[in-house]
Structures are given as C-alpha cells and as structure tokens.
Amino acid sequence: MGNQSVLRVNWCNPIASFHAGLIAVKHYSCTSGRYKKSVMSIHFFNEMERLHRDIVSMCSTVEENISEAVRGLQNRSAGLAEELAVRDREVNALDIRVEEECLKILALYHPVANDLRRVAAVMKITVELERVGDLAVNIAERSASLSMFPGFSMPVGLDEMATESLEMLHDSIDSYVEMDAEKARAVVTRDDIVDDLNDKLIEELRKGMVSTSELVEPGMHLFSVIRHIERVADHATNIAEDVVYLTEGQIIRHRLKK
C-alpha cells in the first residue's frame, strides 16, 4: 500500500522481555483491520530500569542490615539498634519510592504480560524487604536487652537457624536478580528446615525457663529473637514465590508444602 509503517498480520501480539535489568518491548496496536507497529516510549524503558535499580539497592541494604543484626546478636551489641534504626529509614524511603514508581508505571504505560507481572511482583517483594528491615531493628533491640545478661548462654542451634535464614534471604534475592525460578523454588523448600529448628529452639528455651526462674527474663528476649529469625525465612520464602510468579506466571503459594 506504499505505507511502510503498516504491518499486515492476522493477530495482535504484545511481547515484553526483561533480561539483566534491561527491557525490550514491542507493541502492536489494531486500527481498522491494520496493525501499526510502534516502539514503546523510551520513558517506559527508563522507568523500568530505574525501578530495577531501586529494588536491587533495597535488597542490598536490607540484606546488609539483617546480617549486621545477627552478628550483633552474637556479640551482644548494645548500641547497634540505634544505628540500624537510622539505616532502616533508608529502607523505608526506598519502599515508598518503589511503590510510587510502580503506581506511576501502571498509570502512565498500562503494562501487559511480563511487564505487568514484573511491576506486580516488585510491589510485593518490596513489602517483604521492608518487613525484613524492621526485623533487623527488632533483633538489634533484643540484642541490647540480652547484653544485660552476660551469663545467659545462647542455644547451640541458634547459629544454624540464623545462618539458614540469612542464606535463604540471600538466595531469594539472587533468584530475583538472576530471574532463576529453579533457585527460587529451592528456597521455598528450605523453609521447613528453619521451621524445625525454630520448634526445637523454642522447646529447649521453654524447658530452661521452667526449670530456672532466672532464665525467664533473658529467655523471653531470646524467644523474640528466635521468632524474628524465623520470620526472616518466611519473608525469603515469600520473595522466592514472587520470583516464580514473575518468571513463570505461576502462583505457587501453599502448593509446595504438602
């Protein structure tokens, strides 16, 4: 017909792909039986790249904070809570910024298919990360309380539980950055390990407090620490489930644990 901008096809096919933080999007729109091929605005690319950078930054900050909190627990650090509370404000600011970026993308660009899943998954992942950031502060606060009981011994299994929870968080973040559904699924299956360690530690702690009244107060602080660490694993699992949804379009919540 002499118009090179018109593509004659029998269907409309929006295709979106994301790899290593870069996005290539093609959009085909229908007009009176003809299909005009157009390239999505460069502003959309920029917004998605900015979104990716911000959530990766949030991942890094949260992982550093929770790792520092666990190390502070072993050292019975009394002043770490205030430092982590300051850092957590940065996490909260990133949480708000990412949410605003997601809402802006949804309102202005109406993403579909993979892009829509990415925005939805990012909004959910930031919620999990923000909560892990809060847990880092909570653990540090309990560490400060435990510093007043120098004679109180930490249970042997606490190190193992903390290590497993932190590794799950690290792997869930890696699975997002790498878009690796297999790694994400592996994280989900490991949550049972942390749950078992949690049950054993709580029972050991309960027996100690029943037998020795002096252990009740520090034991209650440690009880909170154990639950916080278990919640880190839960949030890591949720992030991994979101990665599976993002990469495969499948919602696997409640499916793998049977």
Side-chain angles (χ1 to χ4, degrees), residues 2-256:
N3 187 346
Q4 297 299 320
S5 66
V6 176
L7 178 66
R8 293 181 179 276
V9 291
N10 294 323
W11 40 268
C12 295
N13 182 23
I15 305 172
S17 62
F18 185 96
H19 180 68
L22 299 177
I23 303 170
V25 180
K26 291 183 179 179
H27 177 71
Y28 299 87
S29 58
C30 306
T31 306
S32 302
R34 295 181 176 182
Y35 302 88
K36 294 183 178 180
K37 183 178 180 181
S38 60
V39 178
M40 190 71 79
S41 169
I42 189 64
H43 297 297
F44 177 76
F45 299 144
N46 293 337
E47 293 289 350
M48 292 295 283
E49 289 176 11
R50 184 182 300 110
L51 180 63
H52 180 69
R53 288 194 301 271
D54 283 345
I55 192 172
V56 169
S57 176
M58 188 175 180
C59 287
S60 177
T61 302
V62 167
E63 187 174 5
E64 180 181 351
N65 287 1
I66 194 66
S67 298
E68 187 71 21
V70 170
R71 286 194 296 270
L73 176 65
Q74 300 305 319
N75 301 329
R76 310 271 180 111
S77 176
L80 184 60
E82 185 175 349
E83 179 183 343
L84 288 181
V86 173
R87 293 190 204 172
D88 191 51
R89 288 198 284 270
E90 178 184 349
V91 173
N92 293 338
L94 281 168
D95 176 39
I96 293 172
R97 188 162 77 200
V98 168
E99 181 178 2
E100 289 176 345
E101 289 171 353
C102 288
L103 294 175
K104 179 180 177 181
I105 289 170
L106 290 173
L108 295 181
Y109 303 106
H110 308 291
V112 296
N114 292 346
D115 292 322
L116 180 57
R117 286 209 307 271
R118 172 165 292 278
V119 174
V122 164
M123 292 182 72
K124 295 177 67 178
I125 289 172
T126 54
V127 171
E128 306 297 339
L129 291 171
E130 191 275 334
R131 290 173 180 170
V132 173
D134 290 342
L135 290 173
V137 177
N138 294 340
I139 291 172
E141 290 173 345
R142 294 300 178 177
S143 178
S145 298
L146 285 168
S147 68
M148 296 184 293
F149 302 92
F152 182 75
S153 299
M154 296 292 187
V156 176
L158 184 62
D159 280 344
E160 181 183 359
M161 181 181 177
T163 298
E164 184 66 28
S165 295
L166 293 180
E167 288 180 353
M168 287 176 62
L169 179 64
H170 178 79
D171 289 346
S172 69
I173 290 172
D174 274 358
S175 72
Y176 168 75
V177 175
E178 299 167 6
M179 292 293 102
D180 189 337
E182 184 176 350
K183 180 178 287 189
R185 288 177 181 274
V187 171
V188 175
T189 61
R190 289 159 59 189
D191 190 43
D192 287 338
I193 298 174
V194 175
D195 288 343
D196 290 342
L197 290 169
N198 174 73
D199 292 342
K200 291 176 182 177
L201 286 170
I202 293 298
E203 179 61 19
E204 178 184 344
L205 188 60
R206 186 192 67 80
K207 289 179 178 179
M209 289 191 292
V210 168
S211 63
T212 308
S213 60
E214 290 79 5
L215 298 179
V216 172
E217 187 174 353
M220 292 305 296
H221 293 305
L222 182 58
F223 175 85
S224 295
V225 167
I226 293 170
R227 296 313 301 263
H228 292 331
I229 292 174
E230 190 269 339
R231 288 299 298 157
V232 171
D234 287 343
H235 291 305
T237 299
N238 293 343
I239 291 171
E241 290 172 345
D242 292 335
V243 171
V244 173
Y245 167 72
L246 171 58
T247 56
E248 298 182 351
Q250 285 188 299
I251 298 175
I252 63 168
R253 288 193 307 275
H254 316 304
R255 295 185 184 180
L256 293 183

